[in-house]
Amino acid sequence: MLSLLSFVAVAGLESTVSGRVSLSNGKPASEAIVTLTGAGKSHPLPKAMVDQRDRTFIPHVSVVTVGTRVDFPNNDTVFHNVFTEFHSSKFDLGMYAKGTSQHQTFNRPGLAVIMCSVHPDMGAYIMVVDTPYFAVTDRSGRYVIKNVPAGKYKVDVWHESGAKATQSYDVSGETRLDIPIRK
Ligand SMILES: [Cu+2]
């Protein structure tokens, strides 16, 4: 009986998967996206936002789950336009003034490139995923993904530079997974 109980406890274990993503020159890959696809269904995030301040989209890189509505408020002092290239199709949210907002719901997985037709140097990325397990690396390339059930996962890493990695990984218990990426 005891052994059966402990087996059930182990089978239901959720772990933290964490590590560091590095570029081929050994430097940390900041704002890299790490996703684990396997067990678990995703739900739309209750809230997601890409802000516009100081002629910059903030955050520059973000991840949302399929079905999430993303708000694009203009909190800048100037007009901005937001258009996104997504699956080769463009959503154009038009020009809009300071203090106003537009939004877009992303219903398919993939990478959305966010641009402003007024300021060509403005850019952001929104990765749309259909897994609840993802993270964006910090300045030192570190990521942490919590509450990951044990099981087999496909691990994908994306970086703005074009460097990436794909591998499979068997999560069982606390996991430290450092991932080198290359173009
Ligand atoms: Cu702009």
Side-chain angles (χ1 to χ4, degrees):
M1 191 59 190
L2 259 182
S3 60
L4 177 65
L5 278 176
S6 57
F7 172 76
V8 170
V10 168
L13 191 69
E14 292 188 341
S15 314
T16 297
V17 178
S18 63
R20 223 167 168 165
V21 178
S22 56
L23 298 166
S24 51
N25 61 9
K27 289 192 171 159
S30 67
E31 296 194 298
I33 295 169
V34 182
T35 55
L36 304 182
T37 309
K41 279 202 157 241
S42 68
H43 301 283
L45 301 179
K47 216 175 173 185
M49 183 174 78
V50 174
D51 202 357
Q52 299 160 68
R53 284 174 194 269
D54 301 326
R55 301 183 190 207
T56 309
F57 289 119
I58 304 165
H60 182 58
V61 172
S62 55
V63 185
V64 302
T65 48
V66 169
T68 297
R69 166 185 151 154
V70 180
D71 290 308
F72 296 94
N74 180 349
N75 286 305
D76 215 335
T77 52
V78 295
F79 269 87
H80 289 294
N81 154 272
V82 173
F83 72 97
T84 69
E85 210 157 273
F86 189 55
H87 291 287
S88 314
S89 63
K90 283 179 185 164
F91 301 110
D92 196 328
L93 304 182
M95 291 274 292
Y96 52 103
K98 171 190 177 181
T100 63
S101 186
Q102 295 288 339
H103 60 86
Q104 180 70 48
T105 299
F106 293 92
N107 287 317
R108 290 165 66 192
L111 181 70
V113 182
I114 314 298
M115 290 167 280
C116 168
S117 63
V118 186
H119 308 106
D121 54 323
M122 286 178 71
Y125 299 94
I126 298 175
M127 184 69 84
V128 185
V129 301
D130 59 1
T131 172
Y133 310 113
F134 55 82
V136 179
T137 59
D138 66 12
R139 280 170 169 231
S140 52
R142 291 179 195 282
Y143 72 94
V144 178
I145 305 174
K146 289 183 174 165
N147 306 318
V148 181
K152 277 196 198 314
Y153 291 87
K154 183 165 157 283
V155 182
D156 288 294
V157 184
W158 172 94
H159 188 254
E160 183 180 8
S161 65
K164 56 189 173 181
T166 299
Q167 65 181 93
S168 52
Y169 197 86
D170 219 334
V171 174
S172 59
E174 298 297 296
T175 299
R176 165 90 197 221
L177 181 60
D178 293 334
I179 311 169
I181 56 175
R182 54 180 60 232
K183 288 180 200 175

